[in-house]
Amino acid sequence: MKTAAGKSGARRIRVGIIGANPDRGWAAQAHIPALKSLSDDFEITALSTSRRQSADAAGKLFGVPLAFDNHQDLVNSAGVDVVAVTVKVPHHLELATAALEAGKAVYCEWPLGNGLNEAETLAALAKTKGVLAVAGLQARSAPSVAYVHDLVQQGYVGEVLSTTLVGSGMGWGPTVEPFNAYLNEKKNGATMLSIAVGHTADALCYCLGEVRELAATMAMRRKTFTIAGTGEGKPMNADDQVGVTGLLEGGAAFSIHYRGGVSRGTNLLWEINGSEGDLQLTATGGQAQIWELDVRGGKGAQSSLELLPVPAQYRWAPPQAPGPSTNVAQAYAGFARDYREGTHLCPTFEDAVTRHRMLDAIETAAATGQRQRLGAAVVTCETV
């Protein structure tokens, strides 16, 4: 995909961010730096938090003219074209629904909903409203993932025979920061399965095709965890081991194993093995939507892998400061084209439903011990 830094004479897309906490959070760490780096395409015109004091503080800190203490005022603002939903998962359905009902385009963070049913509800509403609705599955926008997608399409590995992915959740380990404790409660919909596995499996399926059938095992090996800074112990209520095996639609065998916490060894290793060559992606952290991935490959007469630097053409956004904003900026660069040109470069709510269905099938397979078959996939994103 090639992106331009804003069309000459085109009005900037006005973004309102729900959940722009001035102290911490995904909006401050990722969305705001990403959008500000794409200032030819976007301007942040509004934000909202749940309290007047924090809304005013965020507006002042981030230099945003409109600061609301409720989401309804933001989604109804005439100064907002696109609503970014960057709050905890249990609130996605309510907030994204409000934005869609107001006729606004939406960028909702992943997971789209707290489970498959909520995601399907939002996708149906977006279709009815006829607006652009994008889910924050930004791992597929990572330069390395976009590059590997094209290498596979161009036949670098020949026919894909199998793929193997091992990763660490980074979270869901022995200790957790107080503000992330909600991740260890399955009912909140923000588990290792939905976040770490969901993001990275989306990159895998984007590059290699959707899942045809799968079997799965899930386990909760850590029974408790400790709140960092306080030493308080709490019961773990989310699985910290996820193992999945099966077949992709093209017939390739796949396996995924995620484990909670951080490994002293490998935190992300993804290999693609083909009839003519091999590709390997590695990272120091297990969440592909955040950590930079290195690409290595070898084919033909080569007996080992070599580093494959990612070509500059796959970096669609300006370089970012250290932190998680790189792939979010990449996704927003595609969003600008989708918004203006009607392309399908970013994963839509319908694409997000496809991923939710995969995760739902993993849970069902693990609970029943029965292999699950998945239907035809939603149309995948374009590459240009």
Side-chain angles (χ1 to χ4, degrees):
M1 179 184 79
K2 296 178 182 178
T3 61
K7 291 186 171 182
S8 177
R11 180 175 62 79
R12 291 192 293 172
I13 301 166
R14 300 169 299 176
V15 182
I17 302 175
I18 300 178
N21 190 304
D23 302 318
R24 55 174 169 75
W26 192 242
Q29 292 177 313
H31 281 256
I32 290 172
L35 287 164
K36 288 192 171 183
S37 76
L38 296 164
S39 59
D40 284 349
D41 284 318
F42 297 98
E43 59 177 326
I44 306 170
T45 54
L47 56 80
S48 71
T49 67
S50 58
R51 294 179 297 111
R52 182 75 263 162
Q53 183 179 4
S54 63
D56 289 341
K60 183 177 180 181
L61 176 65
F62 301 126
V64 177
L66 299 174
F68 302 109
D69 61 2
N70 69 91
H71 69 273
Q72 209 62 53
D73 285 346
L74 183 143
V75 301
N76 289 321
S77 171
V80 170
D81 302 313
V82 176
V83 175
V85 178
T86 68
V87 297
K88 292 179 178 178
V89 180
H91 305 295
H92 284 188
L93 178 63
E94 176 192 5
L95 301 178
T97 295
L100 292 169
E101 293 285 9
K104 299 298 169 68
V106 180
Y107 184 125
C108 183
E109 265 305 339
W110 174 264
L112 177 56
N114 188 348
L116 175 59
N117 288 343
E118 288 190 4
E120 289 178 330
T121 297
L122 286 169
L125 179 58
K127 186 174 182 179
T128 298
K129 293 295 182 180
V131 298
L132 176 61
V134 162
L137 285 163
Q138 65 269 11
R140 65 170 74 182
S141 296
S144 53
V145 173
Y147 179 38
V148 166
H149 172 278
D150 284 1
L151 286 175
V152 171
Q153 294 298 310
Q154 293 159 8
Y156 184 94
V157 300
E159 181 185 7
V160 178
L161 305 176
S162 68
T163 187
T164 307
L165 176 61
V166 177
S168 299
M170 311 311 285
W172 304 278
T175 61
V176 64
E177 295 295 331
F179 51 82
N180 277 334
Y182 88 108
L183 300 172
N184 290 349
E185 183 61 62
K186 182 178 179 180
K187 68 180 182 182
N188 291 324
T191 61
M192 187 178 75
L193 174 66
S194 66
I195 295 178
V197 177
H199 275 292
T200 311
D202 187 70
L204 184 153
C205 292
Y206 173 61
C207 291
L208 304 178
E210 293 296 333
V211 172
R212 178 199 300 172
E213 57 186 78
L214 61 82
T217 299
M218 295 171 62
M220 194 185 308
R221 296 291 292 145
R222 290 186 176 87
K223 307 304 180 186
T224 62
F225 65 93
T226 301
I227 301 293
T230 70
E232 178 186 3
K234 286 185 172 291
M236 175 75 86
N237 287 307
D239 292 298
D240 60 357
Q241 301 292 323
V242 177
V244 190
T245 60
L247 297 175
L248 302 178
E249 285 183 342
F254 81 92
S255 70
I256 298 172
H257 178 208
Y258 259 79
R259 58 277 173 105
V262 179
S263 171
R264 294 173 183 83
T266 301
N267 284 305
L268 184 64
L269 171 62
W270 173 19
E271 294 194 338
I272 301 167
N273 307 110
S275 59
E276 304 296 331
D278 302 283
L279 288 167
Q280 182 190 80
L281 293 89
T282 56
T284 56
Q287 298 196 31
Q289 78 279 16
I290 297 176
W291 269 267
E292 183 85 14
L293 288 87
D294 292 325
V295 180
R296 291 175 175 82
K299 61 179 180 176
Q302 291 177 275
S303 60
S304 60
L305 301 177
E306 63 178 358
L307 186 67
L308 302 179
V310 178
Q313 72 195 64
Y314 293 99
R315 300 191 183 276
W316 313 317
Q320 305 288 305
S325 63
T326 293
N327 295 337
V328 176
Q330 291 270 112
Y332 270 119
F335 186 100
R337 282 191 57 185
D338 288 353
Y339 185 84
R340 290 188 173 123
E341 303 171 28
T343 51
H344 180 193
L345 300 169
C346 290
T348 63
F349 280 16
E350 288 189 348
D351 295 316
V353 167
T354 296
R355 196 60 48 235
H356 271 286
R357 285 185 181 139
M358 176 185 175
L359 300 183
D360 190 69
I362 291 171
E363 288 191 290
T364 301
T368 64
Q370 296 177 346
R371 197 173 186 89
Q372 301 294 302
R373 292 188 66 87
L374 285 88
V378 173
V379 176
T380 55
C381 293
E382 302 170 23
T383 56
V384 176

